[in-house]
Amino acid sequence: MLRILRSVARHIRHRVDWYIVALFAVIGVATLAPVEGAAADGVSLAVRVAVGLLFFLYGARLSPQAAYDGLRHWRLHVPILALTFAAFPLAGLAAGLLPRSVLSTELAVGVLFLTVLPSTVQSSIAFTSMARGNVAAAICSASFSTVLAVVLTPVLAVALIGQTGGGGMPIRASQLGDIALQLLVPFLAGQVARRWVTPWLGRHRALITVCDRGSILLVVYSAFSRGMSTGIWQRVSPGRLLLLAALCALLLALALQLSYGAARLIGLPYADRVTAVFCGSNKSLASGLPMATVLFPAERVGIVVLPLMLYHTIQLVTCAWLARRWPARRSAAPSAGEDRGRDIRIRTGSSDTCG
């Protein structure tokens, strides 16, 4: 019996993403003990500082060479970027046409915001490696997507959510200056400081991971604490939450099918198809949550990021299952792409953040 219990414990430890568990635990804490009054103002200030720090670290860790290398493999990266920043937003606009009895206006905004986000970095690379895909191309694609998103995501949000009225959460072009100050300036500062801080980041990866994940947990706590003051759980019933989860699963299934179909249509080899599937279908929680705090009123952030959190959870479970069971069409020996991927990872100094 003891042997069985140990086996079950090992299985749970390896299969459960404890960071996702922590995210939903923080939502529970915010529901039961929301921050209020002067303390809420202090947490909001801490969130602004944390967001700036996150984007500084993103800039310091992302190698410009990795993004440049990605340009040379344009037959792979163009379809991925087209799916990430064109097909996905179109799907988000289509979802907004659903009856309000199915998808409320605020949740429709959240779904549309989800669709304009970049691909993940760490998750896309991990899944590609598990499925014996082109790891180097995954690093380049995810890095390039993140760099572009610092500019493209706010612009798309202004163009799409702002023009549709945003359900009481309009985003105006005049906000782009504030967005640039809080997101783009720290990111560029990280790029400038990269040559000096990268060695230090490489020596303190555990500390950087704690900083990344701790900052995002703080964002979630602040968002849902504010949401409690506006009755977030009165506006999102269990039935509507299930419908939202089903919609997120449908979006993911569509993205997986489109990315694989497009890669196969243009004749990409197996390793590149794997990269296209995982980089084209994943959406970044690490970028999305901080961006939401900048783009939307504090009291609405909680409900806006619900679709993103559900999608991210579903994508982790689904893509991990696909990556483990993908037909092994390559030899067991590491490919040149995987070797080069390890080299680039060393140069980027990437940490194990949740993408």
Side-chain angles (χ1 to χ4, degrees):
M1 176 62 72
L2 184 59
R3 188 182 301 114
I4 294 175
L5 291 175
R6 287 176 177 172
S7 177
V8 171
R10 283 197 300 270
H11 179 83
I12 292 174
R13 186 168 62 251
H14 290 299
R15 295 301 176 92
V16 173
D17 189 324
W18 292 108
Y19 183 58
I20 295 298
V21 174
L23 283 171
F24 285 98
V26 167
I27 293 175
V29 172
T31 301
L32 298 174
V35 65
E36 298 175 339
D41 294 334
V43 170
S44 295
L45 178 60
V47 165
R48 291 174 66 89
V49 173
V51 168
L53 177 60
L54 275 176
F55 276 81
F56 174 83
L57 292 175
Y58 291 161
R61 291 202 301 264
L62 285 176
S63 168
Q65 184 63 40
Y68 172 75
D69 288 344
L71 292 175
R72 296 187 294 181
H73 198 359
W74 62 269
R75 288 182 68 247
L76 170 62
H77 300 303
V78 167
I80 293 175
L81 293 174
L83 179 62
T84 301
F85 295 114
F88 249 117
L90 288 175
L93 288 172
L97 300 177
L98 291 171
R100 290 296 168 253
S101 58
V102 176
L103 192 68
S104 70
T105 302
E106 292 170 313
L107 289 178
V109 170
V111 170
L112 188 52
F113 173 66
L114 154 70
T115 62
V116 301
L117 290 173
S119 178
T120 62
V121 176
Q122 186 67 22
S123 297
S124 297
I125 295 168
F127 294 143
T128 299
S129 179
M130 288 171 62
R132 299 188 183 280
N134 189 336
V135 178
I139 293 172
C140 294
S141 180
S143 300
F144 198 39
S145 177
T146 302
V147 171
L148 286 178
V150 178
V151 175
L152 273 184
T153 292
V155 169
L156 286 172
V158 169
L160 301 180
I161 299 174
Q163 292 301 318
T164 59
M169 296 177 284
I171 302 175
R172 297 174 297 276
S174 59
Q175 288 180 259
L176 287 177
D178 293 336
I179 294 167
L181 183 62
Q182 295 182 58
L183 302 182
L184 184 58
V185 170
F187 180 85
L188 293 177
Q191 285 280 283
V192 171
R194 176 178 162 76
R195 58 180 298 185
W196 296 287
V197 302
T198 296
W200 187 89
L201 294 177
R203 292 192 302 269
H204 299 85
R205 291 189 180 185
L207 178 62
I208 301 307
T209 299
V210 170
C211 178
D212 281 352
R213 298 190 172 193
S215 297
I216 292 172
L217 291 175
L218 179 63
V219 169
V220 171
Y221 178 69
S222 175
F224 281 88
S225 289
R226 293 276 189 174
M228 288 301 295
S229 65
T230 60
I232 182 174
W233 299 122
Q234 284 71 45
R235 306 203 306 276
V236 184
S237 64
R240 181 166 281 178
L241 199 60
L242 288 175
L243 288 173
L244 179 61
L247 176 60
C248 289
L250 181 61
L251 278 174
L252 178 61
L254 179 63
L256 290 169
Q257 189 63 42
L258 283 176
S259 56
Y260 184 83
R264 189 171 184 178
L265 182 65
I266 62 178
L268 293 177
Y270 167 78
D272 286 348
R273 290 204 300 269
V274 169
T275 302
V277 166
F278 293 124
C279 291
S281 63
N282 281 214
K283 288 293 184 178
S284 177
L285 183 76
S287 296
L289 286 176
M291 285 184 176
T293 65
V294 177
L295 290 168
F296 300 102
E299 65 275 8
R300 303 291 185 91
V301 171
I303 196 167
V304 168
V305 300
L306 263 181
L308 171 59
M309 296 186 68
L310 287 173
Y311 185 92
H312 187 79
T313 304
I314 295 169
Q315 87 182 8
L316 284 179
V317 173
T318 304
C319 291
W321 180 83
L322 282 174
R324 284 194 299 267
R325 288 160 176 78
W326 208 291
R329 300 181 183 177
R330 308 177 76 187
S331 64
S335 68
E338 291 170 325
D339 290 336
R340 186 159 168 254
R342 282 192 289 269
D343 293 340
I344 295 177
R345 193 180 301 118
I346 291 171
R347 291 203 307 269
T348 59
S350 59
S351 66
D352 295 331
T353 57
C354 185

